[in-house]
Amino acid sequence: MLLISVFFASLAPPIHSSGSNWFTKPHSRRKSGKKVKVTFSDQLDTASTTGSNSSVPSTPSPSVSSAQHRWRYLEQIFAPSTSAAAAAPAGNRSTGSSEFDRGSSFRQSNTSYGSVGSSGPYNRRAPPQRKVGQKMADCEKEEALNLQVEFEWVLHEEVHSVLKQLHVILVECAHRFPVPLYGNEGKKQDKFVLTAAPEQLKCIVTLTGDSITHADINFKVQRQQQQIQRTSITQDYPWKIQQVQDAANHLQQAINHIDNVDGAYHFKTSDEVLHILGNILGALQRGRTSLVVPRKKPIDELMKSRNMKALSPNLPEDLAISFYIQSHKLIFVAYQLTNFQGTMKFDSCQAECSVPWLNEVLVLFTVALQLCQQLKDKVSSVGEREKPAKHSFHAPIAHRTVAR
């Protein structure tokens, strides 16, 4: 058996070794006359991606002397994957490259978002926004500033302007009075006729100032037989109408309150203004009320009054008369007392007439009251938000009185 194996071994062709001498001795390859396929690592990677059945393209020998062939050789070795990726459509690219592209784009978007130098619709920073509380505080400060400016304007400008208007109105009202008042001489004299149908009462009156200086009075008395009672008022003992003088005194007080305020004075608080306006309003209201709502006396007091004793001739004890003003009218009333089963009762008959100057005075009183009240309401509304003043004040108070 050993001889047979030696015999066949002698007949077999020689086998070249593939050890280290294969690379160190290239002449051994040229002598064999066989083409050897050389495969590099990058070609193996490319071949693995294209499939197991694809074959590696043959590469020209690096021993080619032509520069063109060397360039093609190097291009095939180092740039096969780049050319293949460029030639392949977008849908057929390798999975690894597409994943890397998406990942790199994701990383780039994460790092570039919010960067200072980046731009784009998603990288724009919102403008700096103040907090809601800060905005509300700014609005409150602005409103407080506007209210303070309005308050100072009302105190320093509008109050003096309205007081001047009030002064003009009240002086004009004073000139309408038939009594000496604020430069008015008060020598006005009017004559009126008061009648009550059917001829129950007739009175011819001369009104001078706040007194009836002359009157002829006739009225019927209900007794067993109707009779006419006559009496008169003479100039020596005039009938005093106190309502006119009271209204004039209150009007004078209102004018004095305005005169005591200096035109250049700067009010510091709303309370100071309200105090003065309250005094003016009080005087005007009392003056108007004295004319509109007369104070009616009891019948006993009326019969014992000084005016009744000035009549000529005097009336019987069961009769009485009265003159008073109500609104713009002068009213004359005749009273008759009767004793019915031990109970005292009285019947009355009255006549009235309109007095022109009373109508004008009441209109001016009303206009002045409305103007003063409007200013007071405005100062009150603005002064509600004023900070409480730390100083006290002494409002000027008029002490002058008008002689009755």
Side-chain angles (χ1 to χ4, degrees):
M1 289 295 293
L2 180 62
L3 293 176
I4 295 173
S5 58
V6 170
F7 174 77
F8 282 103
S10 61
L11 295 178
I15 300 174
H16 298 282
S17 174
S18 61
S20 61
N21 293 333
W22 191 84
F23 289 97
T24 58
K25 296 180 180 182
H27 60 275
S28 61
R29 287 177 289 169
R30 288 195 297 270
K31 288 182 180 182
S32 63
K34 296 182 180 180
K35 295 183 178 181
V36 181
K37 180 170 65 174
V38 180
T39 305
F40 297 92
S41 61
D42 55 351
Q43 292 177 346
L44 290 174
D45 295 338
T46 307
S48 63
T49 57
T50 55
S52 60
N53 295 331
S54 62
S55 61
V56 179
S58 61
T59 58
S61 174
S63 62
V64 182
S65 60
S66 173
Q68 182 177 6
H69 289 182
R70 284 198 302 272
W71 175 258
R72 289 178 181 176
Y73 172 73
L74 293 173
E75 186 178 11
Q76 290 179 2
I77 292 175
F78 294 103
S81 60
T82 305
S83 61
N92 296 333
R93 290 182 181 179
S94 61
T95 306
S97 62
S98 63
E99 288 179 357
F100 178 78
D101 293 340
R102 287 195 298 270
S104 62
S105 63
F106 177 76
R107 287 192 300 272
Q108 182 181 3
S109 63
N110 286 340
T111 55
S112 63
Y113 183 81
S115 60
V116 177
S118 61
S119 62
Y122 299 101
N123 297 330
R124 293 178 182 174
R125 288 187 178 182
Q129 304 228 353
R130 293 179 295 179
K131 296 181 180 179
V132 178
Q134 183 66 24
K135 289 183 178 180
M136 293 178 65
D138 294 343
C139 292
E140 291 178 357
K141 289 181 181 179
E142 184 178 358
E143 183 180 0
L145 180 61
N146 294 335
L147 288 174
Q148 183 65 24
V149 172
E150 182 183 2
F151 176 74
E152 293 178 357
W153 179 83
V154 169
L155 290 187
H156 301 159
E157 301 292 337
E158 189 169 2
V159 171
H160 290 286
S161 176
V162 174
L163 288 179
K164 290 180 181 178
Q165 297 179 27
L166 279 172
H167 190 270
V168 172
I169 294 172
L170 297 183
V171 169
E172 187 66 24
C173 182
H175 291 167
R176 296 291 191 275
F177 268 84
V179 296
L181 179 64
Y182 208 80
N184 181 23
E185 296 181 357
K187 293 182 179 180
K188 186 179 296 184
Q189 190 176 58
D190 298 313
K191 185 175 285 190
F192 305 98
V193 178
L194 296 83
T195 59
E199 298 181 357
Q200 291 289 330
L201 186 148
K202 183 176 182 181
C203 180
I204 301 174
V205 176
T206 300
L207 182 62
T208 304
D210 60 341
S211 301
I212 298 175
T213 57
H214 187 272
D216 291 330
I217 302 168
N218 299 320
F219 60 94
K220 290 182 179 181
V221 178
Q222 298 292 336
R223 287 200 175 112
Q224 295 178 354
Q225 294 180 356
Q226 288 188 357
Q227 63 181 12
I228 298 176
Q229 185 68 42
R230 290 181 174 89
T231 187
S232 63
I233 298 173
T234 62
Q235 191 172 0
D236 298 333
Y237 300 98
W239 186 290
K240 182 78 171 180
I241 300 179
Q242 190 61 38
Q243 293 173 259
V244 177
Q245 188 62 57
D246 291 342
N249 291 343
H250 295 311
L251 179 59
Q252 181 68 63
Q253 289 180 359
I255 296 175
N256 290 341
H257 286 309
I258 299 176
D259 289 339
N260 290 336
V261 178
D262 189 1
Y265 178 71
H266 281 215
F267 294 100
K268 299 178 179 61
T269 62
S270 60
D271 293 337
E272 189 176 2
V273 179
L274 293 175
H275 181 78
I276 296 175
L277 293 178
N279 292 336
I280 299 172
L281 276 172
L284 294 177
Q285 288 173 351
R286 290 191 298 270
R288 185 177 183 275
T289 302
S290 62
L291 296 176
V292 175
V293 183
R295 189 177 70 88
K296 295 184 178 181
K297 299 178 181 180
I299 190 65
D300 295 339
E301 183 181 351
L302 180 61
M303 295 178 68
K304 297 177 182 180
S305 66
R306 183 181 63 88
N307 290 329
M308 285 291 297
K309 294 179 180 180
L311 295 176
S312 178
N314 291 331
L315 294 177
E317 293 181 357
D318 60 343
L319 296 179
I321 62 173
S322 175
F323 289 93
Y324 62 89
I325 290 174
Q326 185 172 10
S327 187
H328 63 282
K329 298 176 181 180
L330 175 64
I331 300 176
F332 169 69
V333 184
Y335 302 95
Q336 180 180 356
L337 294 176
T338 58
N339 189 348
F340 181 74
Q341 297 179 355
T343 303
M344 296 298 295
K345 296 172 35 178
F346 65 89
D347 297 327
S348 63
C349 179
Q350 74 176 32
E352 61 186 34
C353 66
S354 179
V355 180
W357 66 265
L358 277 175
N359 191 20
E360 297 174 0
V361 164
L362 289 173
V363 169
L364 293 173
F365 261 117
T366 304
V367 172
L369 281 168
Q370 291 178 352
L371 187 61
C372 191
Q373 186 65 46
Q374 289 175 0
L375 179 61
K376 183 180 179 181
D377 294 340
K378 188 169 186 178
V379 174
S380 299
S381 63
V382 176
E384 286 178 355
R385 302 176 187 179
E386 179 198 11
K387 295 181 180 180
K390 296 183 180 180
H391 61 277
S392 62
F393 67 93
H394 300 281
I397 301 176
H399 295 285
R400 289 181 290 175
T401 58
V402 180
R404 294 178 179 269

